[in-house]
Amino acid sequence: MADLQKLTIGKAINLGLRRAMEEDPKVLIMGEDVGKLGGVFRITDGLQKDFGEQRVLDTPLAESGIIGTAVGLAVRGFRPVCEIQFEGFIFPGFDQIVSQVAKLHYRTQGKVKMPIVIRVPFGGGIGAVEHHSESPESLFAHIPGLKVVSVSNAVDAYWGIQQAIKADDPILFFEPKKLYHSGAMKAEIDVDGTPDPLFESRVVREGTTATVVAYGPSVKVALDAATAAEDEGKSLEVIDLRTLSPLDLGPVFESVRKTGRLIALSEAPSESSLTSEIAARVQQECFYSLEAPVLRVTGFDTPYPPAKLEEHYLPDLDRVLHAVDRSLAW
Amino acid sequence: MPSEHWTHPEPGDGPAAVAAQPSPEQVIAGLRATSEGGAELTQLLTPEGERVSSPQFDRYVDDIDAEALKGLYRDMVLVRRADREANAMQRQGQLGIWVPLLGQEAAQIGSGRALRKGDMAFPSYREHGVAYARGVDLKEVLGIFRCTDHSGWDYKAHGFHPYTIVIGNQVLNAAGYAMGQKFEGKVGDDDSEATICYFGDGATSQGDVHEGFVWAAVYDAPLVFFCQNNQWAISEPTERQSRLPLYQRARGYGFPGIRVDGNDVLACLAVSRWALEECRHGNGPVLIEAFTYRMDAHTTTDDPTRYRLSDELEEWKLKDPIERVRAYLARGGGADQAFFDQVQADSDAFAAELREYCFNMPEPPPERIFSNVYAESTPLLDAQREEFLSYLDGFVGAGEH
Ligand SMILES: Cc1ncc(C[n+]2csc(CCOP(=O)(O)OP(=O)(O)O)c2C)c(N)n1
């Protein structure tokens, strides 16, 4: 009989981590405050108690150190799962990620594997001070050698983290922090079931009027917009990218061929970003099917503003619907 | 028991002889040594409020008579009151988050009051007391935590850099600033300038802090590294960052390091003045480890009961930085009850003013999102701004009909 558990995204990741650690003694968790405190978001809650201080490491406070030592541990055969406390603090570790994590496999002609997962809570909407609300995922998707995943729901969170840990490539795992503990995002998970493949995008709602492609926290916005659009007699198809690198745009192309319209949605600034990449590839593949240019609904090309302004900065349902109208008006 | 290895280095001494590796127990004992007046800890005022003399540092507080000490007391009480008010306002949903300084008033006021007009301070994010000492209106500090602004004050006018949240970044920035002071010839005599940089014990693990030590050392920058060792980096104790008392690290970079009782405002003032004087005279950087304790949560989102023992807190309450000055002033006759009552009344008024301001703080207009991204804006950004503002206008119209 299936073991069904109803979990939030945060609890789903916690259970996924636990399962991965039970299955493979080489899996380590490392980061700031991940042990006793269970992480500032409590995602690693209870793991140090059960697996000990040598498998759940409260590290010194240094991101370059966390990532850099994870590289050495991986060379030694471990599978480190690093937690970065907030996305805005990944940059002291950026050098190690770009220069070593991403390139060692290539440089050694495949002799050195980098089975490292870097968990990054990201995105806004939590009313925080600077550096706690950003969306830097495009920077990592731009780096060859890295894979980038962003989950939007508890089922993918549970399976995704386990799949990422099992993978032999380094994976940046972007988690929608705003939704960690959201009751609305609770899902029933068959914790012994079979997961979908990690590196595939998925149509999460079917529609015919226009396609909205999103990932991470924006998937919820897209789905809410689709519900609202229904009242106006418009039917939106929503696609969750799930993995940002490699981008699986097959389902997007297919959808655009059906609807003729695409809105690419993301909290990140738009210039030179994932949404740029999506727009470029879709116009290349679906040029004759497009009824309107690909439109983007994103954060602005500014630093993340003071949180009192984030309701304006973050793409919301209205901005998605506005873009749908603009697309239809073409 | 602390080994020889941890004895107090005389500032300016040559490198210490290499000692045997301490045991883990010794490491923790050394990191946590709180022995008042012990060889390691520079102290001028004991927790009981007794003035102890220091042949080396007394002269740096010669001018601190009863009036001046009352001033320092008042500073600390006002800053604590503001801190408690802000903490309460966060609980009431008026601030997004608050970073308490409870227990660190002496470290901040002592060092902050040691600075002069031409000096520059580089804070992290907990330095509300230093901000106050630099004449920054705490209302502007509240703006950060109410999330209306990233930083409001005029850094130049106050000699107080914007807060830095990314751990350790500001240490290199301060090193560069101090190098600038040196390159401009502002070092060499009593009238010279210096820089002070604040960071926590956790920050000492960051590469930026190490690099800041290197830079400041090799360029002889007039920079005082002021580490407030409040024992915790969120949930991680100091022993998770170091095997060695932090002040001793300075040796490895070739400049003096000193541990001062961070709950002793007089000692913090004296040691900071000494260190700044070293800098002003071109003797290069100094590391001060202010040994103190964060008596509240790391921030209002933290839950210290998960990692901290309450008797630790009780122990530190006995070393309260404000109480010892009060005891000294009361006993020495420098202050009567009327004075303490007045300070209390002043601090209440100060808090009320902050509260009033906070509740009525103006909301920033949406166009603020787009301003000051660049010194010279770009066509793309201008277009994005126009498009967004006209989109918002559409809603205004819709609402009116
Ligand atoms: C680069 C970076 N990593 C992580 C954080 C999250 N964080 C904020 S404060 C803090 C602990 C800092 O401790 P410490 O340096 O001792 O200073 P304290 O807050 O105790 O004054 C952490 C981990 C951050 N702000 N920047």
Side-chain angles (χ1 to χ4, degrees):
Chain A
M1 212 185 70
D3 178 7
L4 290 178
Q5 296 194 26
K6 200 161 186 202
L7 302 171
T8 57
I9 291 179
K11 284 266 165 28
I13 298 172
N14 179 278
L15 186 62
L17 288 168
R18 176 176 289 279
R19 289 253 159 141
M21 295 189 81
E22 282 164 355
E23 226 168 87
D24 182 351
K26 289 292 191 185
V27 174
L28 301 180
I29 290 181
M30 47 202 291
E32 295 157 11
D33 304 294
V34 296
K36 263 215 175 86
L37 189 65
V40 291
F41 292 105
R42 311 289 184 259
I43 302 303
T44 53
D45 200 14
L47 297 178
Q48 189 181 65
K49 202 170 124 270
D50 296 341
F51 294 96
E53 290 190 12
Q54 216 159 291
R55 292 197 61 199
V56 181
L57 285 73
D58 267 329
T59 66
L61 208 168
E63 288 72 12
S64 184
I66 294 168
I67 311 283
T69 56
V71 168
L73 283 159
V75 172
R76 179 74 194 180
F78 288 87
R79 303 184 89 83
V81 183
C82 304
E83 175 175 299
I84 298 294
Q85 210 155 72
F86 284 86
E87 75 292 317
F89 308 137
I90 199 168
F91 297 102
F94 197 67
D95 176 21
Q96 284 286 346
I97 295 173
V98 173
S99 309
Q100 304 306 326
V101 174
K103 299 198 177 108
L104 263 167
H105 191 255
Y106 190 70
R107 226 162 53 217
T108 61
Q109 298 178 43
K111 288 188 203 67
V112 173
K113 296 225 168 18
M114 281 289 115
I116 296 176
V117 176
I118 303 172
R119 295 184 36 242
V120 194
F122 83 123
I126 61 164
V129 292
E130 279 187 288
H131 312 289
H132 291 76
S133 308
E134 298 163 20
S135 298
E137 60 281 2
S138 299
L139 299 175
F140 298 93
H142 188 69
I143 310 292
L146 300 177
K147 290 182 177 169
V148 183
V149 167
S150 177
V151 292
S152 71
N153 62 73
V155 179
D156 283 350
Y158 173 72
W159 289 116
I161 193 66
Q162 296 180 69
Q163 292 165 308
I165 292 170
K166 283 207 184 88
D168 275 339
D169 282 311
I171 296 183
L172 275 282
F173 197 83
F174 282 91
E175 302 170 2
K177 70 166 87 82
K178 182 178 133 181
L179 303 178
Y180 269 148
H181 307 300
S182 151
M185 300 304 288
K186 269 194 182 168
E188 196 124 287
I189 304 173
D190 175 3
V191 296
D192 298 320
T194 326
D196 284 351
L198 181 61
F199 301 111
E200 288 181 4
S201 54
R202 185 196 292 145
V203 176
V204 288
R205 178 180 170 126
E206 292 193 13
T208 50
T209 312
T211 306
V212 182
V213 60
Y215 57 89
S218 298
V219 175
K220 181 172 187 309
V221 177
L223 288 170
D224 291 347
T227 305
E230 206 168 49
D231 294 341
E232 300 174 5
K234 293 168 203 148
S235 142
L236 300 185
E237 181 141 302
V238 178
I239 297 179
D240 181 354
L241 282 175
R242 300 175 71 243
T243 295
L244 311 181
S245 175
L247 265 181
D248 172 26
L249 292 181
V252 179
F253 299 152
E254 207 173 303
S255 177
V256 169
R257 287 187 191 114
K258 180 171 74 172
T259 65
R261 299 172 201 282
L262 180 66
I263 317 295
L265 174 64
S266 159
E267 291 185 14
S270 58
E271 202 174 351
S272 307
S273 68
L274 274 159
T275 54
S276 313
E277 177 69 15
I278 294 166
R281 302 247 298 260
V282 166
Q283 71 84 22
Q284 203 172 308
E285 290 297 321
C286 309
F287 189 72
Y288 291 108
S289 308
L290 281 167
E291 304 283 343
V294 177
L295 297 178
R296 294 187 281 166
V297 179
T298 66
F300 301 113
D301 291 322
T302 71
Y304 200 87
K308 281 278 178 198
L309 290 168
E310 70 184 344
E311 57 159 325
H312 291 301
Y313 179 91
L314 291 172
D316 62 359
L317 174 162
D318 284 329
R319 268 167 71 195
V320 175
L321 295 179
H322 182 68
V324 171
D325 289 344
R326 277 168 58 216
S327 178
L328 286 167
W330 219 270
Chain B
M1 212 187 69
S3 75
E4 272 300 301
H5 191 48
W6 293 321
T7 54
H8 190 303
E10 283 304 305
D13 261 9
V18 178
Q21 280 286 359
S23 71
E25 292 71 31
Q26 284 176 315
V27 169
I28 294 174
L31 289 166
R32 302 237 150 193
T34 58
S35 50
E36 285 85 18
E40 283 187 86
L41 199 72
T42 298
Q43 191 176 63
L44 298 180
L45 207 52
T46 69
E48 294 73 36
E50 308 276 2
R51 178 74 166 83
V52 287
S53 85
S54 153
Q56 191 187 350
F57 290 108
D58 279 347
R59 74 182 181 87
Y60 289 95
V61 285
D62 273 352
D63 61 323
I64 305 298
D65 55 13
E67 267 328 289
L69 193 59
K70 279 154 76 176
L72 293 172
Y73 173 82
R74 185 174 184 278
D75 287 346
M76 290 195 291
V77 173
L78 259 62
V79 162
R80 175 173 294 186
R81 187 70 183 78
D83 175 72
R84 295 299 82 196
E85 194 70 19
N87 213 63
M89 286 195 285
Q90 195 283 334
R91 296 288 180 235
Q92 293 161 2
Q94 293 296 326
L95 297 177
I97 189 172
W98 181 247
V99 185
L101 62 62
L102 190 70
Q104 300 183 218
E105 297 87 352
Q108 297 197 13
I109 292 299
S111 60
R113 287 290 182 219
L115 297 168
R116 296 196 313 219
K117 191 151 190 338
D119 296 338
M120 185 74 176
F122 283 75
S124 64
Y125 44 74
R126 200 185 293 279
E127 276 67 71
H128 324 311
V130 185
Y132 166 88
R134 296 305 276 160
V136 172
D137 192 334
L138 289 187
K139 291 167 191 153
E140 282 170 335
V141 173
L142 282 188
I144 297 175
F145 298 100
R146 197 172 160 92
C147 298
T148 58
D149 261 313
H150 291 323
S151 170
W153 57 87
D154 178 343
Y155 79 93
K156 236 185 223 163
H158 294 290
F160 190 71
H161 189 77
Y163 277 8
T164 301
I165 290 175
V166 181
I167 301 294
N169 276 179
Q170 78 279 12
V171 180
L172 274 168
N173 305 154
Y177 189 91
M179 284 161 64
Q181 290 173 317
K182 169 110 191 273
F183 295 163
E184 288 179 4
K186 295 282 164 58
V187 175
D189 56 38
D190 279 348
D191 295 329
S192 311
E193 293 181 6
T195 296
I196 191 165
C197 180
Y198 294 87
F199 52 94
D201 44 304
T204 62
S205 296
Q206 288 281 1
D208 273 12
V209 176
H210 162 73
E211 292 174 32
F213 287 176
V214 171
W215 250 254
V218 303
Y219 289 99
D220 271 330
L223 177 57
V224 175
F225 297 103
F226 196 93
C227 175
Q228 286 173 83
N229 178 359
N230 64 13
Q231 314 296 317
W232 293 94
I234 309 188
S235 73
E236 300 191 357
T238 313
E239 56 263 34
R240 188 49 78 195
Q241 321 293 337
S242 183
R243 297 182 62 135
L244 197 72
L246 296 171
Y247 76 92
Q248 290 188 4
R249 288 200 178 167
R251 278 282 165 88
Y253 297 88
F255 51 83
I258 184 167
R259 182 186 267 185
V260 62
D261 183 340
N263 286 19
D264 174 351
V265 71
L266 213 52
C268 288
L269 178 67
V271 167
S272 301
R273 280 176 168 179
W274 160 74
L276 288 159
E277 195 172 281
E278 286 289 299
C279 289
R280 290 188 214 292
H281 286 136
N283 297 334
V286 177
L287 169 64
I288 299 174
E289 177 192 356
F291 200 76
T292 182
Y293 190 78
R294 190 189 82 213
M295 290 208 286
D296 200 346
H298 169 73
T299 68
T300 42
T301 61
D302 177 36
D303 174 11
T305 61
R306 281 181 161 246
Y307 53 83
R308 198 165 77 177
L309 298 172
S310 64
D311 46 345
E312 181 178 284
L313 175 61
E314 293 310 312
E315 183 194 327
W316 276 92
K317 277 185 185 162
L318 301 174
K319 297 174 191 161
D320 191 292
I322 296 182
E323 288 312 314
R324 69 178 71 182
V325 182
R326 188 186 170 98
Y328 176 72
L329 283 173
R331 190 169 331 109
D336 54 14
Q337 192 54 41
F339 166 76
F340 294 119
D341 291 347
Q342 186 60 50
V343 172
Q344 186 59 48
D346 290 352
S347 72
D348 288 341
F350 187 57
E353 198 188 313
L354 281 179
R355 168 171 288 264
E356 164 88 17
Y357 179 82
C358 185
F359 279 54
N360 299 311
M361 208 179 287
E363 298 268 321
E367 54 265 33
R368 177 83 63 78
I369 293 176
F370 302 92
S371 38
N372 296 307
V373 179
Y374 302 99
E376 193 179 324
S377 193
T378 68
L380 199 69
L381 191 60
D382 290 344
Q384 206 171 69
R385 175 176 179 275
E386 291 320 310
E387 195 188 321
F388 179 63
L389 293 180
S390 73
Y391 163 78
L392 283 184
D393 277 350
F395 281 97
V396 174
E400 278 164 0
H401 291 302

